[in-house]
Amino acid sequence: MDDVRSTGSPKPSPAASDSPLTTDHGRAAALFEESVSIMARLRAPDGCPWDREQTFDTIRKYTLEETYEVFDAIERRDFPHLAEELGDLLLQVLFYAEMAANEGHFTIADVLDHLNRKLIRRHPHVFGEEASRAAGNQASVDSNAENSTQVLRNWEEIKAAEKAAANKAEDSRLDSVNRGLPALAEAAKLGSKAAKSGFDWPNWRDLLPKIAEETAELEVEANANPSDKQRVESELGDLLFTAVNLARHLGVDAEMALRGCNLRFRQRFAEMERTASGPLEELSPAELEDLWSNAKKTLAKAKIEP
């Protein structure tokens, strides 16, 4: 391929082992340079028509899709597949950076420079206070942090100083929560931020009556105005938000909880299909419920479910 640096044929992945691997930094740098060149070639005037037609808006959905495929590979501990999916996720970064370069905004070098400086700036306990200052740290923090709690406190203080220096004034402390997060993650972060100001439920048990209250309000709205989807959606949103905050109080990640539930549903439904005497759509509700109950028992006994 023209204008693409060749690094030779791919090396086979090493066999799975408990022993740590050592990154060949020279090879990694050469391969990253090749990836950048390939992306530039695809977006060039004589490159790929599809790649040239893409915009920031059209690529967004693929970024979310690739992120969840990375999640899936991690959950299944499918490390060969994870390596491939991480490559697909990296492609999204290269794609955005190349489009930004085409439009005169920034290049992949700027992306890497921002990342490197941020990592050094926010880790004075690793790289030293002098290097952290040189990378832009303007906060006074403990550069001898010895545990994760101290590290996180330093991180937040350095981050706050960065925002102050950039004059990024916020109308609300919740403005720091990224609106582009998945809804469950955003809800958890909003609840956590609000809790720091004292606006929170004292105990997880206090959320149980709130869930019952939100469920009752949803039932009233769905019965009274079933065609008003916006009002029903609003009440359902209140119920989901309360459930996410219950998860936060219990120390559970709501996204991971739901993903685990989804996996269990897949497994149970597949077991129903496997053991059914005929097509599921031809069975009665009672027969379907029996299949579901038996599937739960079978999978639990086999210890297949997470």
Side-chain angles (χ1 to χ4, degrees):
M1 185 177 289
D2 295 340
D3 301 323
V4 176
R5 177 175 176 175
S6 173
T7 56
S9 58
K11 296 181 180 180
S13 299
S17 170
D18 291 333
S19 302
L21 301 176
T22 301
T23 300
D24 182 336
H25 294 277
R27 180 169 180 261
L31 288 170
F32 187 80
E33 182 180 349
E34 182 179 16
S35 297
V36 172
S37 297
I38 290 173
M39 192 70 252
R41 178 72 176 83
L42 292 173
R43 289 276 298 177
D46 58 344
C48 172
W50 185 89
D51 288 282
R52 284 183 49 76
E53 291 172 1
Q54 301 314 303
T55 67
F56 289 98
D57 291 326
T58 63
I59 289 296
R60 286 184 307 168
K61 63 180 180 181
Y62 298 112
T63 305
L64 191 58
E65 178 182 312
E66 297 299 349
T67 299
Y68 279 108
E69 289 183 359
V70 167
F71 273 34
D72 177 60
I74 290 172
E75 290 175 343
R76 291 186 289 105
R77 294 298 188 268
D78 185 348
F79 291 105
H81 192 212
L82 177 59
E84 178 184 352
E85 294 301 341
L86 287 172
D88 291 343
L89 188 58
L90 176 59
L91 169 61
Q92 305 302 304
V93 176
L94 296 175
F95 216 136
Y96 287 123
E98 187 61 26
M99 288 190 292
N102 296 156
E103 296 179 11
H105 301 304
F106 58 82
T107 70
I108 187 64
D110 297 306
V111 174
L112 295 171
D113 182 56
H114 280 298
L115 172 61
N116 294 346
R117 288 172 59 81
K118 179 182 291 185
L119 291 175
I120 295 172
R121 183 167 65 246
R122 296 187 183 179
H123 290 85
H125 55 290
V126 175
F127 300 103
E129 187 172 347
E130 184 176 344
S132 177
R133 294 284 181 195
N137 175 24
Q138 299 183 37
S140 296
V141 298
D142 181 7
S143 59
N144 297 313
E146 297 179 349
N147 57 59
S148 59
T149 300
Q150 293 173 321
V151 169
L152 288 175
R153 183 168 60 246
N154 285 353
W155 182 282
E156 290 298 330
E157 290 180 9
I158 295 171
K159 184 177 179 180
E162 292 168 8
K163 290 185 177 180
N167 295 319
K168 292 183 178 178
E170 296 174 345
D171 295 329
S172 166
R173 71 187 65 196
L174 298 184
D175 290 345
S176 63
V177 178
N178 186 353
R179 186 69 179 87
L181 287 171
L184 290 178
E186 182 187 9
K189 285 186 174 290
L190 289 173
S192 180
K193 285 286 185 181
K196 292 179 180 178
S197 67
F199 187 67
D200 196 12
W201 293 269
N203 186 279
W204 67 266
R205 292 180 178 83
D206 299 311
L207 280 121
L208 299 180
K210 186 63 177 177
I211 286 181
E213 175 188 326
E214 297 296 352
T215 302
E217 291 179 2
L218 173 61
E219 183 178 8
V220 169
E221 201 61 59
N223 285 329
N225 302 289
S227 61
D228 190 342
K229 299 305 180 186
Q230 185 172 357
R231 295 178 67 174
V232 173
E233 179 184 280
S234 177
E235 293 298 341
L236 180 58
D238 291 344
L239 176 58
L240 290 172
F241 186 83
T242 306
V244 169
N245 279 281
L246 173 60
R248 176 175 60 82
H249 270 268
L250 291 171
V252 173
D253 186 303
E255 175 71 17
M256 294 301 102
L258 184 56
R259 286 181 64 81
C261 178
N262 292 343
L263 177 57
R264 290 192 296 276
F265 184 86
R266 285 175 181 268
Q267 293 171 334
R268 293 170 183 176
F269 192 83
E271 179 68 12
M272 288 173 64
E273 293 174 312
R274 188 184 71 81
T275 58
S277 58
L280 296 182
E281 53 269 25
E282 295 179 3
L283 302 181
S284 68
E287 290 173 317
L288 290 172
E289 183 60 34
D290 284 341
L291 282 172
W292 176 259
S293 297
N294 290 332
K296 288 175 62 177
K297 293 176 183 176
T298 299
L299 294 173
K301 185 176 181 179
K303 296 182 179 180
I304 293 176
E305 292 188 340

